Amino acid sequence: MSEEKTTHFGYETVAREEKQGKVAEVFHSVAAKYDLMNDLMSFGIHRLWKRFTMEFTGVRKGDSVLDIAGGTGDLTMKFSDLVGPEGRVVLADINESMLRVGRDRLLDKGYSGNIECVQANAESLPFDDNSFDVITMAFGLRNVTDKDQALREFNRVLKPGGRLLVLEFSKTNNPLLSKAYDFYSFSALPLMGKIITNDADSYRYLAESIRMHPDQDTLKAMFEQAGFANCEYHNLTGGIVALHKGIKP
């Protein structure tokens, strides 16, 4: 069977090799105002979702952590404090603009000693096998072209017993919440994007990309197919967001 040559960019069907560039354009456009827009879009709740994620990581002093699609470094800073000077945290993002914003923010806040910043594609990570105790990916997986390949790569670079946590927008089964969420996503988000970043199209793509992302049970099955054990997920805010966790055997 020949490999599928097209994929989704939001609701648009594009050639697989085009998606990465199109996603890059979105994040080049929004990088400078990314944190502000996250606060506005989620009414600040994204901070609670990330705090919940941190509680599940089990990160300890001396651990090695990969924060992939780490963007502006929210989780990286917390991991840096937890692993201490003997630990290692890698802030990785495929997008140069996002990585630059994250690196500058970390330096401005006095973080540097145990942190590396690496431009990296989740589908082809530049790290050795069995390198990390924990990998986190917050709101990045839906932008990856080949999600199955990315999950296999995460499994490869984790140490045995290592943990993968993926925080991502997901599917709510509450009809009223779903209706309100759709109205908000396709009306309010592009308008906010236009006002704050002068870019409505990028935020329309982000809303569409959420709808095209696998639901909770599908993503859990993808974790298992990639070789993870003890896979589970936790719905947050009625399933608008879900945290998936898997362990490398």
Side-chain angles (χ1 to χ4, degrees):
M1 183 183 293
S2 62
E3 185 183 358
E4 184 67 43
K5 291 184 171 60
T6 61
T7 188
H8 294 287
F9 175 73
Y11 289 163
E12 183 184 354
T13 299
V14 299
R16 288 179 70 89
E17 60 269 19
E18 288 180 21
K19 178 171 179 175
Q20 188 173 309
K22 285 181 169 289
V23 171
E25 289 172 11
V26 169
F27 285 93
H28 283 311
S29 173
V30 304
K33 299 285 181 65
Y34 186 76
D35 286 333
L36 173 61
M37 280 298 295
N38 274 353
D39 280 330
L40 291 173
M41 287 189 304
S42 72
F43 306 104
I45 298 173
H46 76 101
R47 298 178 186 275
L48 299 178
W49 296 332
K50 289 174 181 174
R51 189 180 304 166
F52 184 84
T53 301
M54 291 298 300
E55 292 174 1
F56 274 80
T57 62
V59 169
R60 296 174 292 186
K61 286 196 179 301
D63 277 354
S64 184
V65 180
L66 171 61
D67 183 16
I68 183 74
T72 54
D74 282 355
L75 295 180
T76 296
M77 282 186 275
K78 294 180 173 64
F79 286 134
S80 176
D81 293 332
L82 287 172
V83 304
E86 62 270 40
R88 171 196 185 208
V89 184
V90 178
L91 169 62
D93 203 292
I94 193 172
N95 188 274
E96 183 183 357
S97 298
M98 291 292 292
L99 193 63
R100 190 184 308 117
V101 170
R103 183 185 62 232
D104 291 349
R105 185 177 179 216
L106 291 167
L107 291 173
D108 288 346
K109 291 182 177 291
Y111 287 88
S112 61
N114 58 1
I115 297 174
E116 303 168 37
C117 293
V118 177
Q119 188 170 0
N121 184 340
E123 298 174 31
S124 181
L125 294 172
F127 308 112
D128 292 337
D129 297 356
N130 309 314
S131 294
F132 296 98
D133 298 287
V134 172
I135 297 176
T136 55
M137 191 179 207
F139 306 113
L141 187 61
R142 71 183 188 280
N143 298 308
V144 174
T145 303
D146 191 337
K147 297 172 181 61
D148 292 306
Q149 173 60 21
L151 291 171
R152 288 192 293 269
E153 276 291 272
F154 298 157
N155 189 277
R156 178 183 68 78
V157 302
L158 273 172
K159 299 175 184 177
R163 301 168 296 285
L164 169 65
L165 293 105
V166 173
L167 181 67
E168 187 56 90
F169 291 105
S170 200
K171 305 289 190 293
T172 176
N173 290 322
N174 182 315
L176 287 176
L177 185 58
S178 181
K179 192 172 182 179
Y181 185 43
D182 280 345
F183 175 79
Y184 175 71
S185 298
F186 291 103
S187 299
L189 283 192
L191 179 60
M192 278 195 286
K194 177 67 174 175
I195 294 170
I196 303 297
T197 69
N198 197 32
D199 184 356
D201 289 344
S202 288
Y203 284 92
R204 190 170 292 109
Y205 157 72
L206 292 175
E208 292 175 0
S209 71
I210 291 167
R211 300 312 187 279
M212 301 304 294
H213 187 65
D215 64 21
Q216 288 91 325
D217 289 320
T218 302
L219 184 55
K220 180 185 174 187
M222 290 167 66
F223 266 54
E224 293 167 345
Q225 290 163 7
F228 288 96
N230 301 332
C231 299
E232 60 185 30
Y233 64 82
H234 302 269
N235 284 330
L236 307 175
T237 316
I240 286 176
V241 165
L243 174 64
H244 282 72
K245 179 180 179 181
I247 297 175
K248 179 175 177 175

